[in-house]
Amino acid sequence: MNKTIYVIGHRNPDTDAIVAATAYARLQHLLGNTQYVAARAGHLTPQTEYIYKRFGIEKPLYFHDMLPKVAFYMKDRVETANELSSLWSAVSLMDKSHDKVLAVVDSEGRYCSLLHYSAFARNILNRMNPEKKLAVSTSVALVRKTLGAQSLFEADADAIFKGTILCAVNDYDSFKSHLDEHASENVIVITGDRDDVQRYCVEKGVKALVLTSGFLPKKELTAQAAKKGISVLSSPFDTSSTAMLITYSTPVSLMADKLVQPVRASDYVQKIKTSLRESESRTLPVIDDENRVIGIISENDLLQEANAELVLVDHNERTQAVEGSENYVIRAIIDHHRIGGIITRYPITFVNRPVGSTSTLVTGLYRENHVSIPLDMAQILLCGVLTDTLILQSATTTDVDRETAEYLSTITGLDIDQLGHEILTAGSRIENRTAAQIVKQDMKEYTENGVTFTVSQIEVDHSGEIMKRKQELLDELELQRRSHNALFAILLVTDIVKLSSEMLIACDERFLPFITFQKLDDSVYFLKDVVSRKKQFIPMLIEQLERYGA
């Protein structure tokens, strides 16, 4: 299975993270690398929803988490056998494909059972037990196909029956006595060029007459057989080979293991480990929602690297990455934040520059690779730059961001100020949004000096609506603080008109004396001229944490 490379932003992604993932995946496609897929580790904010709807952009693939799933380890190129095909054709297919198992499906491709060598050996030995009569469930058509036989006449060719195989190797009287002991209508007789045996078989009305070594019966005998509904075939093989192959002509569905239950691509690996361990073949079929076989997974597959890799955009700290990211190879990181503590297995492409947005960096990668930026990508990249720099007014804004915005504005024909205020206003609306949605929409978790804390941020054109819901938001912050086992949880409310922020905090009381911001009310503080979480606010918080831990 070819590896898929998911380009994904941080948990609770903001517009910049979503845009960067989308535009970088498109860049890779334009460079011929179609295995890149834009993804997201959270729901779109109202602001991002507005942008993607306005410009008609498809949302990136959503992952609640990246904990190991069957889809990331299974083989998706698998052979299957129709339940009515012969055991011989199924085993031949297994041998040709070098597979240890073969999924058996119905005519619609839906899973029925699993053929594996343990089940095959168990069932074939049971049927070939010398202490029992050699009987096989088959059809005339399956016998013909398995032998590659010439058909002289076939009656009810596709009807499955359970028949006894008799080989006419004794003298005529002994064979005659042997045949008389059986219900002739269920007997398949294998014989050579023996006219007396052939005629007696027609007289007794056997189910099928199979001549070996390519011998053909006389025309009048074939006509007599046809009148009595007796199938007549000419096998190119000798008697022993013909008998063996007829045994293998039984439908594969009768020889496969019906107890093996399939798994789904979306199942967590941890969930299926017991089923894998209990499976005789240590292998399970993978099905889709319509029960169709889409892959195979084995214990050995779980020892290999996953069929998925990651490109992280707009973050490089493990606590902010999608849950389970540590299970995958990280191919690249594109970010404009401080360098965190992610350790990679192999050398990677690491783009980290002190600019105002990751969208600025992705735009630069298009230009460095001399790739024309598609109009829809230029539109959302401009939105990414403007949202993360507060229309180029944030303290994080650089000359590179300004030049990038002008470049994208020229391509798209969009006015920077008009578009910026439009999308920031779309993101500042909080009516009909719960406190949890407001706090979680752009929440990041940090760890400093062994202390965990979270900081959420929302941009508004007026803080009044937020402050009317102060207690509700503080209650939600306390819930987040406890769920993250954090020292404190903060909501930074940034006024995009006044270019200052107010801070709501739920914290351990021991930390309160170390907060040096201007206090407006219980748990509410004012931060003049502070609009950037990463460049202004987080460094100030770290200083207070250092005094707390001193």
Side-chain angles (χ1 to χ4, degrees):
M1 182 176 183
N2 293 327
K3 290 193 176 185
T4 300
I5 303 172
Y6 295 101
V7 186
I8 190 166
H10 50 77
R11 303 184 198 187
N12 307 310
D14 58 4
T15 296
D16 190 38
I18 297 291
V19 167
T22 303
Y24 185 76
R26 179 76 72 85
L27 170 61
Q28 289 299 330
H29 282 211
L30 294 172
L31 291 171
N33 304 315
T34 57
Q35 71 272 34
Y36 285 75
V37 174
R40 55 192 168 98
H43 299 295
L44 270 58
T45 66
Q47 180 187 79
T48 315
E49 285 271 11
Y50 173 81
I51 293 168
Y52 272 58
K53 184 176 181 180
R54 173 176 172 177
F55 296 111
I57 308 296
E58 184 179 351
K59 299 175 185 177
L61 181 65
Y62 171 67
F63 284 107
H64 176 267
D65 60 60
M66 287 288 288
L67 294 172
K69 297 181 180 67
V70 170
F72 300 145
Y73 293 89
M74 72 181 195
K75 294 183 178 72
D76 62 352
R77 294 180 181 177
V78 294
E79 301 286 354
T80 60
N82 185 277
E83 61 183 337
L84 298 179
S85 61
S86 70
L87 174 63
W88 180 256
S89 66
V91 172
S92 298
L93 184 57
M94 289 173 68
D95 181 64
K96 182 179 179 180
S97 62
H98 304 291
D99 290 330
K100 296 180 180 179
V101 299
L102 186 68
V104 179
V105 301
D106 64 15
S107 59
E108 300 296 325
R110 292 185 292 262
Y111 174 73
C112 297
S113 54
L114 189 71
L115 180 66
H116 52 83
Y117 286 117
S118 294
F120 162 70
R122 183 169 56 249
N123 288 320
I124 202 70
L125 288 174
N126 184 55
R127 283 163 173 73
M128 298 184 71
N129 189 334
E131 296 182 359
K132 299 179 181 179
K133 294 179 180 178
L134 184 56
V136 61
S137 294
T138 188
S139 69
V140 172
L142 285 173
V143 172
R144 169 174 47 79
K145 292 175 183 177
T146 303
L147 292 172
Q150 174 61 54
S151 173
L152 283 306
F153 176 75
E154 294 180 28
D156 296 326
D158 295 317
I160 301 295
F161 64 93
K162 188 172 184 179
T164 302
I165 300 174
L166 291 184
C167 296
V169 293
N170 297 329
D171 61 65
Y172 175 72
D173 289 333
S174 296
F175 168 76
K176 183 178 177 182
S177 175
H178 196 186
L179 179 59
D180 289 343
E181 296 176 358
H182 293 80
S184 299
E185 65 273 12
N186 289 323
V187 173
I188 301 172
V189 173
I190 301 172
T191 184
D193 188 22
R194 297 180 61 180
D195 186 68
D196 54 350
V197 169
Q198 297 169 18
R199 291 185 181 281
Y200 190 69
C201 288
V202 172
E203 178 185 331
K204 293 291 291 184
V206 298
K207 181 68 177 181
L209 181 61
V210 180
L211 279 65
T212 60
S213 303
F215 290 125
L216 297 176
K218 294 179 180 178
K219 293 180 181 178
E220 63 271 19
L221 189 138
T222 300
Q224 293 173 13
K227 287 181 180 180
K228 300 190 69 172
I230 301 171
S231 299
V232 181
L233 303 174
S234 175
S235 167
F237 301 104
D238 61 24
T239 299
S240 61
S241 297
T242 297
M244 183 271 291
L245 286 171
I246 291 177
T247 301
Y248 278 84
S249 72
T250 189
V252 65
S253 58
L254 301 180
M255 305 294 282
D257 191 341
K258 294 181 175 64
L259 298 179
V260 178
Q261 295 300 307
V263 297
R264 299 184 183 277
S266 58
D267 287 341
Y268 289 110
V269 166
Q270 192 62 38
K271 173 185 175 183
I272 71 160
K273 282 186 175 180
T274 299
S275 298
L276 269 176
R277 188 167 53 251
E278 293 176 350
S279 168
E280 287 186 271
S281 61
R282 301 294 191 270
T283 305
L284 297 172
V286 185
I287 60 171
D288 62 15
D289 291 338
E290 296 180 345
N291 210 40
R292 290 185 173 87
V293 176
I294 58 173
I296 289 289
I297 188 166
S298 69
E299 280 191 332
N300 185 61
D301 292 330
L302 300 183
L303 301 177
Q304 312 304 313
E305 285 189 346
N307 295 323
E309 295 182 350
L310 300 178
V311 170
L312 305 184
V313 296
D314 202 37
H315 70 298
N316 69 87
E317 297 189 48
R318 187 69 75 185
T319 56
Q320 297 174 15
V322 62
E323 183 183 4
S325 62
E326 67 276 7
N327 296 288
Y328 307 93
V329 170
I330 295 175
R331 177 69 68 92
I333 296 175
I334 305 166
D335 190 24
H336 66 126
H337 297 92
R338 66 175 189 170
I339 297 177
I342 283 186
I343 297 174
T344 62
R345 303 180 199 174
Y346 311 107
I348 67 169
T349 298
F350 194 166
V351 180
N352 184 269
R353 295 172 186 160
V355 294
S357 76
T358 304
S359 294
T360 297
L361 298 178
V362 174
T363 302
L365 291 173
Y366 273 88
R367 300 169 75 175
E368 289 171 19
N369 285 279
H370 306 292
V371 174
S372 175
I373 306 177
L375 178 60
D376 57 346
M377 293 297 100
Q379 289 167 334
I380 64 171
L381 281 167
L382 179 56
C383 292
V385 174
L386 297 181
T387 57
D388 232 36
T389 62
L390 293 180
I391 322 179
L392 306 175
Q393 297 180 84
S394 170
T396 61
T397 307
T398 66
D399 288 341
V400 176
D401 298 299
R402 295 185 186 93
E403 190 277 331
T404 298
E406 289 293 344
Y407 181 80
L408 294 169
S409 175
T410 301
I411 293 174
T412 61
L414 295 168
D415 182 80
I416 288 176
D417 288 332
Q418 182 180 341
L419 176 64
H421 283 95
E422 181 183 326
I423 57 182
L424 288 181
T425 299
S428 67
R429 299 190 184 103
I430 65 169
E431 61 270 16
N432 302 319
R433 293 167 66 188
T434 66
Q437 289 172 330
I438 294 171
V439 170
K440 291 179 180 180
Q441 79 163 26
D442 186 12
M443 181 174 69
K444 293 185 177 180
E445 180 181 309
Y446 301 86
T447 300
E448 285 292 336
N449 300 321
V451 174
T452 298
F453 60 95
T454 69
V455 178
S456 305
Q457 185 173 24
I458 183 170
E459 290 98 14
V460 298
D461 52 13
H462 190 278
S463 62
E465 287 297 315
I466 286 283
M467 292 309 157
K468 287 179 182 178
R469 300 173 62 180
K470 180 186 76 169
Q471 193 55 53
E472 179 186 358
L473 291 166
L474 287 171
D475 290 342
E476 178 61 33
L477 286 170
E478 179 61 21
L479 286 175
Q480 294 303 320
R481 186 181 78 85
R482 294 179 182 275
S483 67
H484 288 262
N485 195 27
L487 179 65
F488 55 80
I490 288 173
L491 174 62
L492 192 65
V493 183
T494 300
D495 190 317
I496 59 177
V497 177
K498 296 180 179 179
L499 296 179
S500 293
S501 299
E502 293 180 34
M503 178 185 83
L504 280 68
I505 183 170
C507 71
D508 187 310
E509 290 186 358
R510 293 173 296 175
F511 183 67
L512 287 174
F514 297 90
I515 301 176
T516 58
F517 305 126
Q518 180 185 344
K519 187 173 183 179
L520 298 179
D521 199 352
D522 289 343
S523 303
V524 181
Y525 297 82
F526 179 67
L527 290 78
K528 182 175 175 56
D529 299 329
V530 174
V531 293
S532 171
R533 174 170 46 188
K534 74 166 185 179
K535 189 169 184 178
Q536 296 174 296
F537 186 60
I538 294 300
M540 295 164 71
L541 270 182
I542 291 175
E543 286 183 8
Q544 296 175 13
L545 276 170
E546 288 173 349
R547 289 196 295 271
Y548 169 76

